[in-house]
Amino acid sequence: MASFPFEIAAVDGQARTGTLKTSRGDIRTPAFMPVGTAATVKALYPDQVRQAGADILLGNTYHLMLRPGAERVKRLGGLHHFMRWDGPILTDSGGFQVWSLAGLRKMSEEGVAFKSHIDGSKHMLTPERSIEIQADLLGADISMQLDECTPFPCERDAAAKSMELSIRWGRRSKEAFGNRETQNLFGIVQGSVYPDLRQQSAEALIETDFDGYAVGGLAVGEGFEMMCNVLDVTTPHLPHERPRYLMGVGRPIDLVEAVARGIDMFDCVMPTRSGRHGQAWSDHGPFNLKNAQYAEDESPLNEAVNCPASRDYSKAYIHHLVRAGEYLGSMILSWHNVAYYEDLMARMRAAISEGRFDAFRAEFLARWEEGTGKRA
Amino acid sequence: MASFPFEIAAVDGQARTGTLKTSRGDIRTPAFMPVGTAATVKALYPDQVRQAGADILLGNTYHLMLRPGAERVKRLGGLHHFMRWDGPILTDSGGFQVWSLAGLRKMSEEGVAFKSHIDGSKHMLTPERSIEIQADLLGADISMQLDECTPFPCERDAAAKSMELSIRWGRRSKEAFGNRETQNLFGIVQGSVYPDLRQQSAEALIETDFDGYAVGGLAVGEGFEMMCNVLDVTTPHLPHERPRYLMGVGRPIDLVEAVARGIDMFDCVMPTRSGRHGQAWSDHGPFNLKNAQYAEDESPLNEAVNCPASRDYSKAYIHHLVRAGEYLGSMILSWHNVAYYEDLMARMRAAISEGRFDAFRAEFLARWEEGTGKRA
């Protein structure tokens, strides 16, 4: 095969639902990918990730190339075998994490030279090396092109130059990737907040011909409204028949609004990170189990979510665990949050299938506003 | 019922195997009780504790009375319901933890006044209050009398005075406990390393008439040989027909040698604590997964132990998780260690049943010496 078959079962407005059929299993879209940075979705067993409803994980090239090392993962049978996850895995290119290493990195046309945050060792990430790590060594089902994440805010000229570099890196990534039987490669649209740059980026990527298209350069501080605006001017330029992936986003409301704008795939550390900080997510927004109001609250986190972490433990017990700094508090909250995110995706898929996504979205926004006191 | 029925199915030398039948389920003896200090066996889900083979847990009165508070646990339905463990629970009296608070406690005939290590608040633990917390508020299936843990080393006169105080506190504990349908109370033998004091303590407790008898004042730095010596002069004075519990012990080899001396029950934080520090236990002693030698070791921790944590993950993967400071490393190692301890108990029970405990013990000691380079 070239591109994984992507069967769009229903379209409702801009929103779509379908199945991306990889050789390691089907991905039901819109899909949320829990983040397994260091070859583990933090504080969850792999079985629990699956049980929570995830079809696909994300792995971080930057972290894995430094520890345990991509060659070592290869010798140990590849990332799937290493971490005992037999479903599909998408890896990022490492570009975003390296870009975040302000002061420790040096960009050039060739790629990014950087120092490890773990031991200070020197490394070079090029489009070719990133593909080698992702596709050959880790064995990702979906690899991402190396790109430069444009900062926010960014002047138009700088945004254009950055976006053009990402286009050239995209071509080199594609060249290095070649044709593979059971692996795919996605390109990444950049262009900051400038509609014409986003369009130019999308058109150039389509010419390079990727298996799927990501929207990059968001979730970097631009805010909710700007994110929606960028999606409004970007997704219309992406091919209908290929999956669209919004990188690093976000809160539940962000997911709902991005699905409304035609996005099919997401990843975010939020459910696991906030779980480790005592926070649980819901349609009414986040709530912190540390708060005294939960000390004797016998209700579960959310009995509508089909997950032991959501259903079986009282808020009072989780409050106690969080206050006492117990592992189990982080474990239960992380598992619940992943399950809640996956449940939200399932509800969106059902709403799109049944042609009632607008109603679902309106009801969700009402609950969100009721719970948070804010529209978004 | 008064005392829980204790059916001794087989005796082999001093070692015994049987079943202690509580109203919340059977405890197969010799039994190892994982420690659930703060209403959680650290880094394990309750289902995993059960799946590891544990029939009974230990809860710590001291920790629970301070956080979340014993009255609060009562309002929330008792400790079993609060932490979702429907099997039996034994609670300690709080005496040992309070005794460990050097400088923050004051002993008197009445009890122990102390300050919380969490918030400095003042508390008083008496035999009566300890029973109220354990039996009435937490709802323990087996409560322990309040005792004074005699330090090691200790002069004979001081050890005698301390042991006598524990006898008086034992009587007051029994008086406060009264007769209960579905709950039991154990006494605690003290007397330091002095055989006649241990005998005197045992005889006085038997006169008070407890449902089971614990050996206290060990696991306080006296060492392996001294522990064995104290057991040699203590268990012969305990009634054959009641369970015997060695408190706070220990390493696998300690359990084997204590079973050889007629002990039926154990608790220890070792499997979970060392799991959080990268350590796995085996018949060959402990080994630390942080060590570079495991970086590419694809074998599991122990495929003979019927637990996913023991069988399903490579040492190389766990090595990586421990090095990266990931939750899952502590989770897998803690679960494996509890399962290994429970598996060791099951192997001892089978050996006693089949009249081959001496051979089992000799083989175990040989493996231990081979692995550790030491006899014990």
Side-chain angles (χ1 to χ4, degrees):
Chain A
M1 74 178 74
S3 294
F4 293 135
F6 182 42
E7 295 171 2
I8 298 175
V11 173
D12 188 359
Q14 299 289 312
R16 318 109 63 80
T17 183
T19 309
L20 184 62
K21 293 174 161 306
T22 82
S23 54
R24 280 203 175 81
D26 290 356
I27 302 163
R28 296 161 292 177
T29 66
F32 179 79
M33 302 184 279
V35 175
T37 298
T40 164
V41 176
K42 289 187 195 297
L44 270 74
Y45 284 89
D47 294 353
Q48 295 176 330
V49 179
R50 173 68 79 181
Q51 199 185 332
D55 292 333
I56 175 171
L57 292 189
L58 179 137
N60 285 124
T61 286
Y62 170 77
H63 291 84
L64 294 169
M65 71 185 282
L66 298 184
R67 184 171 56 198
E71 278 76 8
R72 174 165 285 167
V73 172
K74 170 73 172 177
R75 285 194 298 276
L76 292 168
L79 185 55
H80 299 78
H81 181 74
F82 182 59
M83 70 182 290
R84 289 188 59 81
W85 172 262
D86 62 6
I89 295 176
L90 178 149
T91 46
D92 66 8
S93 68
F96 181 79
Q97 261 90 16
V98 167
W99 173 82
S100 308
L101 293 172
L104 291 170
R105 59 165 162 92
K106 201 174 167 216
M107 312 279 308
S108 67
E109 182 68 31
E110 175 63 10
V112 200
F114 67 96
K115 283 190 184 168
S116 160
H117 75 283
I118 298 172
D119 61 6
S121 58
K122 288 182 182 176
H123 298 263
M124 179 80 187
L125 199 60
T126 61
E128 294 77 14
R129 174 63 178 159
S130 178
I131 293 301
E132 182 187 18
I133 293 173
Q134 295 180 77
D136 297 333
L137 300 174
L138 301 178
D141 302 280
I142 301 175
S143 297
M144 300 300 301
Q145 72 150 94
L146 188 68
D147 65 333
E148 185 187 43
C149 187
T150 310
F152 176 84
C154 184
E155 296 289 328
R156 198 182 184 292
D157 280 3
K161 277 186 66 175
S162 170
M163 177 271 283
E164 285 154 11
L165 178 64
S166 288
I167 290 173
R168 294 191 297 276
W169 283 2
R171 288 193 199 108
R172 284 168 55 192
S173 298
K174 169 84 180 178
E175 177 74 18
F177 192 82
N179 265 319
R180 291 168 186 257
E181 266 306 298
T182 59
Q183 292 176 299
N184 271 196
L185 177 66
F186 282 18
I188 304 175
V189 180
Q190 291 288 351
S192 187
V193 299
Y194 306 101
D196 57 327
L197 297 187
R198 288 280 176 182
Q199 179 174 354
Q200 227 177 290
S201 174
E203 287 168 356
L205 294 175
I206 291 164
E207 201 174 308
T208 305
D209 188 19
F210 288 95
D211 303 307
Y213 297 88
V215 183
L218 293 178
V220 291
E222 77 285 352
F224 175 77
E225 208 172 328
M226 192 64 91
M227 179 197 82
C228 292
N229 293 345
V230 169
L231 291 177
D232 281 334
V233 299
T234 303
T235 51
H237 301 293
L238 297 176
H240 177 78
E241 67 281 6
R242 299 306 316 150
R244 303 161 180 168
Y245 160 33
L246 176 56
M247 302 181 80
V249 173
R251 300 170 305 156
I253 194 168
D254 300 327
L255 306 190
V256 172
E257 288 303 300
V259 166
R261 289 164 174 83
I263 294 294
D264 306 302
M265 298 168 70
F266 300 90
D267 79 285
C268 193
V269 296
M270 198 162 293
T272 45
R273 178 174 292 166
S274 57
R276 295 195 305 282
H277 292 96
Q279 209 167 44
W281 287 92
S282 77
D283 285 6
H284 291 84
F287 55 102
N288 201 308
L289 274 295
K290 260 188 198 162
N291 292 345
Q293 72 184 101
Y294 302 113
E296 301 201 2
D297 185 335
E298 296 205 62
S299 67
L301 290 172
N302 187 338
E303 52 198 340
V305 176
N306 183 24
C307 172
S310 313
R311 270 183 341 225
D312 291 353
Y313 302 90
S314 67
K315 293 195 185 88
Y317 182 53
I318 301 167
H319 168 85
H320 162 69
L321 294 173
V322 171
R323 287 271 180 133
E326 286 289 344
Y327 275 68
L328 188 58
S330 296
M331 290 159 63
I332 290 173
L333 285 168
S334 298
W335 192 12
H336 160 73
N337 283 339
V338 171
Y340 164 76
Y341 267 65
E342 296 298 345
D343 181 73
L344 174 60
M345 304 317 288
R347 285 184 286 148
M348 287 201 274
R349 292 192 297 263
I352 299 165
S353 284
E354 295 159 18
R356 52 175 179 79
F357 185 72
D358 277 352
F360 173 87
R361 179 182 173 191
E363 287 160 23
F364 182 90
L365 294 185
R367 284 192 292 272
W368 189 267
E369 191 174 347
E370 180 188 85
T372 65
K374 283 181 278 193
R375 299 225 36 182
Chain B
M1 77 177 72
S3 294
F4 293 136
F6 182 44
E7 295 170 2
I8 298 175
V11 174
D12 189 357
Q14 298 289 312
R16 318 108 64 79
T17 183
T19 309
L20 183 62
K21 294 176 160 308
T22 82
S23 54
R24 279 202 176 84
D26 290 355
I27 302 163
R28 297 162 291 178
T29 67
F32 180 79
M33 301 184 279
V35 175
T37 298
T40 163
V41 176
K42 290 185 193 298
L44 271 73
Y45 283 90
D47 294 353
Q48 295 176 329
V49 179
R50 173 68 80 182
Q51 199 185 333
D55 292 333
I56 174 171
L57 292 189
L58 180 138
N60 285 123
T61 287
Y62 170 77
H63 292 83
L64 295 168
M65 72 185 281
L66 297 183
R67 184 169 55 198
E71 277 76 8
R72 173 165 287 166
V73 172
K74 171 74 173 177
R75 286 194 297 275
L76 292 167
L79 184 55
H80 299 79
H81 181 74
F82 182 59
M83 69 182 289
R84 289 188 58 81
W85 172 262
D86 61 6
I89 295 176
L90 178 149
T91 46
D92 66 7
S93 68
F96 181 80
Q97 260 91 17
V98 168
W99 173 82
S100 307
L101 293 173
L104 291 170
R105 62 165 159 92
K106 201 174 165 215
M107 313 280 305
S108 66
E109 182 67 32
E110 175 64 11
V112 200
F114 66 96
K115 283 189 185 169
S116 160
H117 75 282
I118 299 170
D119 62 6
S121 58
K122 287 183 183 175
H123 298 265
M124 179 79 187
L125 199 61
T126 62
E128 294 77 14
R129 174 64 177 158
S130 178
I131 293 301
E132 181 186 18
I133 293 173
Q134 295 181 75
D136 296 333
L137 300 174
L138 301 177
D141 302 279
I142 301 175
S143 297
M144 301 301 299
Q145 71 151 92
L146 188 68
D147 64 335
E148 185 188 43
C149 186
T150 310
F152 177 83
C154 184
E155 295 289 327
R156 196 182 185 291
D157 280 3
K161 277 187 65 175
S162 170
M163 178 270 283
E164 284 154 13
L165 178 64
S166 288
I167 290 173
R168 293 191 298 276
W169 283 2
R171 287 194 200 107
R172 284 168 54 192
S173 298
K174 170 81 180 181
E175 178 74 17
F177 192 81
N179 265 320
R180 290 166 186 258
E181 266 307 298
T182 60
Q183 292 176 300
N184 272 198
L185 176 66
F186 283 18
I188 304 176
V189 180
Q190 291 287 353
S192 187
V193 300
Y194 305 102
D196 57 325
L197 297 185
R198 287 281 176 182
Q199 180 174 353
Q200 227 178 291
S201 174
E203 286 169 357
L205 295 175
I206 291 163
E207 201 174 308
T208 305
D209 189 19
F210 288 95
D211 302 308
Y213 297 88
V215 183
L218 293 177
V220 290
E222 75 286 351
F224 175 76
E225 207 173 327
M226 192 65 92
M227 179 197 81
C228 293
N229 293 345
V230 169
L231 291 177
D232 282 333
V233 300
T234 303
T235 51
H237 301 294
L238 297 176
H240 177 77
E241 67 281 5
R242 298 310 313 154
R244 303 161 181 168
Y245 159 32
L246 176 56
M247 303 182 78
V249 172
R251 300 170 306 157
I253 193 167
D254 301 326
L255 306 190
V256 172
E257 289 302 300
V259 165
R261 288 165 174 83
I263 294 294
D264 305 303
M265 298 168 70
F266 300 89
D267 79 284
C268 193
V269 295
M270 199 162 292
T272 44
R273 178 174 293 166
S274 58
R276 297 195 303 283
H277 291 96
Q279 210 167 44
W281 286 93
S282 77
D283 285 6
H284 290 84
F287 54 103
N288 201 307
L289 274 295
K290 260 189 197 162
N291 291 344
Q293 72 184 101
Y294 302 112
E296 301 200 4
D297 185 336
E298 296 205 62
S299 67
L301 290 172
N302 187 339
E303 52 197 340
V305 175
N306 184 24
C307 171
S310 313
R311 270 184 340 228
D312 292 353
Y313 303 90
S314 67
K315 293 195 185 86
Y317 182 53
I318 302 167
H319 168 85
H320 162 69
L321 295 173
V322 170
R323 287 271 180 134
E326 286 288 345
Y327 275 69
L328 188 57
S330 296
M331 291 159 62
I332 290 174
L333 285 169
S334 298
W335 192 12
H336 161 72
N337 283 340
V338 170
Y340 164 76
Y341 266 65
E342 296 297 345
D343 181 73
L344 175 59
M345 304 317 287
R347 286 184 287 147
M348 287 199 275
R349 292 193 296 264
I352 299 165
S353 284
E354 296 160 16
R356 53 176 178 78
F357 185 72
D358 277 351
F360 173 87
R361 180 183 173 191
E363 286 159 22
F364 183 90
L365 294 184
R367 285 192 293 272
W368 189 267
E369 191 173 346
E370 180 188 87
T372 65
K374 283 181 279 194
R375 298 226 37 183

